[in-house]
Amino acid sequence: MYTKRNETGYADALIRESEGLELLRHALEIAGVSTVRVPQVYSVNEERMEMAAIVPKRQTDDLLAKLGEGLAAVHSLPQACYGFGRDNYIGLNPQKNRKTDNWGEFFLDYRLGYQVSLVSDASIRRQFTEVLESRRQVLVDWLNDHSLGPSLLHGDLWSGNALFDEETAWLIDPAVYYGDSEADLSMTEMFGGFGPAFYDAYNARRPLSGEYQRKRVIYNLYHFLNHYNLFGGWYLGPCEKGFEVIRRL
């Protein structure tokens, strides 16, 4: 058994994480996926979460392919709306949510806009806000036109949040909500990616849209803003690149 302690400063962080794990578990079961799992949570409160321990092994192409196919299966399950019914957390920052039928407005206001509001440098905050305000309707319409529909997203799917044992891929540390599936896929490419076997298996089940390359930059802007707000420094450049793509839509 593994004990995860709450070091976030938010009393309900582990409770929200546990709920996300349960949603992913249920979706994997509905999709008939047995080769991707989430750890069982035995108990959770404001201070700690007791969960099944995972002994990670070296990832293989076979396991990466299983992860890609399983994630595509979860993303292919139909969902009722975008967003989520309660706020949760993305890393060490809050993740604001609401349920909506308008993906473009949700992503602009509750993902990009909220993170911009957290930027401490007033000049940079004004610069980013001006782009969102001036390109608001263009961005909203573009995202709505190119969304693949609402899917359950892991929400924080970088390579550190996928573990592998000898037979199974494991998903951990989710920040779930319902959104365009390519937002999840985009984040897998932020810090090195999962390798060709993962993407080939995913695309065989759920092919990429024709606008994925631009969507990837815009969707990852959310995570780069979050990292900039938490860690500063190097992450400003990728943020500026993302806003430049929005300017050119």
Side-chain angles (χ1 to χ4, degrees):
M1 187 166 62
Y2 172 71
T3 299
K4 182 172 183 177
R5 300 190 181 278
N6 189 354
E7 300 176 348
T8 68
Y10 300 104
D12 62 344
L14 293 178
I15 296 169
R16 300 286 85 79
E17 180 180 335
S18 175
E19 291 172 350
L21 289 169
E22 185 56 35
L23 280 172
L24 287 171
R25 182 196 321 283
H26 185 59
L28 288 164
E29 290 175 354
I30 292 175
V33 176
S34 61
T35 53
V36 181
R37 301 172 65 188
V38 298
Q40 180 70 43
V41 175
Y42 301 118
S43 65
V44 62
N45 57 36
E46 293 182 354
E47 297 178 353
R48 65 180 61 87
M49 180 162 60
E50 306 285 351
M51 57 200 302
I54 301 168
V55 180
K57 305 291 185 179
R58 184 178 64 87
Q59 67 184 35
T60 64
D61 284 347
D62 180 62
L63 288 171
L64 286 169
K66 289 177 179 177
L67 177 61
E69 184 176 6
L71 183 66
V74 169
H75 285 168
S76 297
L77 294 174
Q79 304 294 343
C81 65
Y82 297 104
F84 201 57
R86 66 181 69 189
D87 296 346
N88 48 22
Y89 300 92
I90 180 71
L92 296 176
N93 272 330
Q95 180 167 260
K96 298 297 183 180
N97 290 307
R98 70 178 175 92
K99 292 184 177 181
T100 178
D101 293 327
N102 193 314
W103 167 241
E105 285 188 356
F106 176 83
F107 191 79
L108 192 153
D109 292 332
Y110 286 77
R111 293 297 176 261
L112 300 183
Y114 178 70
Q115 285 291 332
V116 168
S117 77
L118 299 180
V119 172
S120 59
D121 186 303
S123 175
I124 294 173
R125 187 172 64 251
R126 284 195 299 270
Q127 173 189 338
F128 291 167
T129 299
E130 188 278 331
V131 176
L132 293 184
E133 290 180 348
S134 65
R135 304 300 289 168
R136 178 180 179 83
Q137 199 57 52
V138 172
L139 178 59
V140 167
D141 291 344
W142 189 84
L143 289 173
N144 285 334
D145 287 345
H146 297 291
S147 173
L148 301 180
S151 297
L152 176 64
L153 306 186
H154 177 284
D156 195 10
L157 194 56
W158 68 290
S159 57
N161 285 341
L163 302 178
F164 304 87
D165 61 21
E166 292 181 350
E167 298 179 348
T168 305
W170 295 83
L171 295 174
I172 62 171
D173 295 350
V176 299
Y177 66 101
Y178 299 98
D180 181 3
S181 57
E182 293 189 338
D184 247 2
L185 202 64
S186 295
M187 196 189 185
T188 68
E189 298 197 62
M190 275 186 67
F191 301 113
F194 288 137
F198 167 84
Y199 297 102
D200 290 346
Y202 184 97
N203 294 341
R205 176 71 182 262
R206 190 173 176 85
L208 296 178
S209 72
E211 286 288 353
Y212 174 71
Q213 297 305 319
R214 284 199 290 179
K215 289 166 73 177
R216 180 180 62 187
V217 177
I218 293 172
Y219 288 153
N220 282 345
L221 174 57
Y222 170 55
H223 299 291
F224 280 125
L225 282 167
N226 185 47
H227 279 68
Y228 175 65
N229 284 324
L230 291 171
F231 310 117
W234 180 86
Y235 295 103
L236 178 59
C239 291
E240 292 173 333
K241 177 182 178 182
F243 281 107
E244 185 59 29
V245 170
I246 293 173
R247 282 194 186 95
R248 295 180 179 182
L249 284 178

